[in-house]
Amino acid sequence: MRALLTRSEENGLNTDINAKTDSPAVVVTAMVESSRLAIQALVAEGTLTEPELPGLVDKVAHGFVASLSSEETPAGLLAAAERGSFLMSSCGESLRSNMFLRTFVNRYGVVVADAYLMGEQRRGTSGTVRCDPDGDWPWPTHVTCGPGPEDERLAETQKDALALLWYQLSEAAGRGRSKLSFDPGLGSPDLPHRLTLAEELRKPVTPHTYSFPLGSEQHEAGTLPLGEILDDRHQVRGVPGLFVAGPASFPRTGAANPVLTTLALAVRLADRLSTSD
């Protein structure tokens, strides 16, 4: 491998990192940074004609936050809220999501139920990481992340599932048939406000919904998948000696937070390197 040189800025300092032919270079960083380093190395080796990697994915996620009085809250839910419970359940293949339910009682005695679905975005051409080769490294990097047709269908299925959950909850609370209304598209511009609104409510209000935007640097993955850009030893094809672990190497991102998988892949790579000839 040719010497790989990049600069990273941390705590205001510029650091030069050299990976020479007699020692492997291991990249275990955030997905965007791993992609940038790989693009620069692949372009330098002449194995990537365009400074771009497709296949960027995130999580498709929707939810609602409901507020109830203790008098109208079903007994089981009230007991869970008083304990400050956090529950998770996997869903069927049509949802390819996990459902989460966080319940608590805020400081004003209002019962809060935050329910959300986190689903798997499928890899395709709608998500990319692209660099602008400008001569100096690091190259400026741009992220594009949008839903494909399967993701759009998943988003609607998630909304339907959450609407059914709220329908059941509102009936049990004696509110009758109550519907949820979601904004079109993905991403709630006022997401932090929607997520924390119920913490300061002094009385129950109409439930509010939200969705997470794609490409917001939360759970991006998939631009350097094992078995494609990487071989089964995590080595970048076309750049001998350059290895990658972390979310960028996921062939599929799954429907849960990626930390444990990231750690497992780092251990796997360490084992491969320590036992290689």
Side-chain angles (χ1 to χ4, degrees):
M1 184 183 75
R2 297 177 186 172
L4 174 66
L5 173 66
T6 187
R7 293 197 303 273
S8 63
E9 292 191 6
E10 186 175 353
N11 300 324
L13 300 176
N14 286 331
T15 304
D16 289 343
I17 304 170
N18 287 279
K20 299 183 183 299
T21 55
D22 56 354
S23 63
V26 179
V27 176
V28 187
T29 66
M31 197 285 309
V32 175
E33 183 67 0
S34 295
S35 302
R36 180 184 68 78
L37 289 167
I39 288 171
Q40 292 180 167
L42 288 165
V43 170
E45 292 293 321
T47 57
L48 189 66
T49 56
E50 291 292 327
E52 180 178 81
L53 291 172
L56 173 67
V57 290
D58 203 336
K59 296 295 190 295
V60 179
H62 290 82
F64 71 84
V65 179
S67 52
L68 304 165
S69 67
S70 57
E71 292 78 15
E72 66 179 344
T73 304
L77 183 62
L78 178 59
E82 289 173 340
R83 295 193 304 269
S85 295
F86 184 81
L87 306 173
M88 185 196 81
S89 175
S90 60
C91 302
E93 179 59 29
S94 63
L95 269 171
R96 66 173 192 276
S97 302
N98 288 312
M99 178 174 282
F100 301 87
L101 177 62
R102 181 174 70 103
T103 58
F104 63 95
V105 180
N106 75 9
R107 59 178 176 164
Y108 299 110
V110 175
V111 179
V112 177
D114 179 7
Y116 60 99
L117 283 160
M118 182 184 294
E120 178 190 16
Q121 184 184 13
R122 291 291 173 86
R123 293 181 65 242
T125 58
S126 57
T128 63
V129 176
R130 183 177 182 85
C131 293
D132 291 335
D134 64 354
D136 293 327
W137 288 14
W139 290 343
T141 306
H142 308 277
V143 173
T144 301
C145 195
E150 284 191 83
D151 306 319
E152 292 175 346
R153 287 192 291 270
L154 174 60
E156 294 306 313
T157 306
Q158 287 185 343
K159 293 175 185 179
D160 291 343
L162 289 167
L164 176 60
L165 176 62
W166 170 240
Y167 170 80
Q168 295 169 332
L169 181 59
S170 61
E171 281 230 311
R175 291 190 179 185
R177 296 184 177 184
S178 181
K179 295 183 178 181
L180 290 178
S181 176
F182 286 89
D183 293 336
L186 285 168
S188 299
D190 57 346
L191 181 61
H193 174 70
R194 296 195 191 198
L195 291 175
T196 60
L197 176 64
E199 296 178 7
E200 296 300 322
L201 289 176
R202 296 174 182 266
K203 63 179 182 180
V205 297
T206 303
H208 52 282
T209 60
Y210 60 87
S211 68
F212 281 85
L214 296 176
S216 57
E217 293 196 66
Q218 295 187 69
H219 296 141
E220 285 88 351
T223 51
L224 299 165
L226 283 161
E228 296 181 34
I229 301 294
L230 307 181
D231 63 22
D232 62 1
R233 295 181 62 246
H234 297 252
Q235 185 170 228
V236 178
R237 299 184 191 276
V239 189
L242 181 61
F243 298 82
V244 179
S249 65
F250 290 7
R252 290 183 60 174
T253 185
N257 291 0
V259 173
L260 292 179
T261 305
T262 299
L263 292 173
L265 287 172
V267 171
R268 182 179 189 272
L269 173 55
D271 180 67
R272 296 293 190 277
L273 292 176
S274 64
T275 57
S276 62
D277 295 332

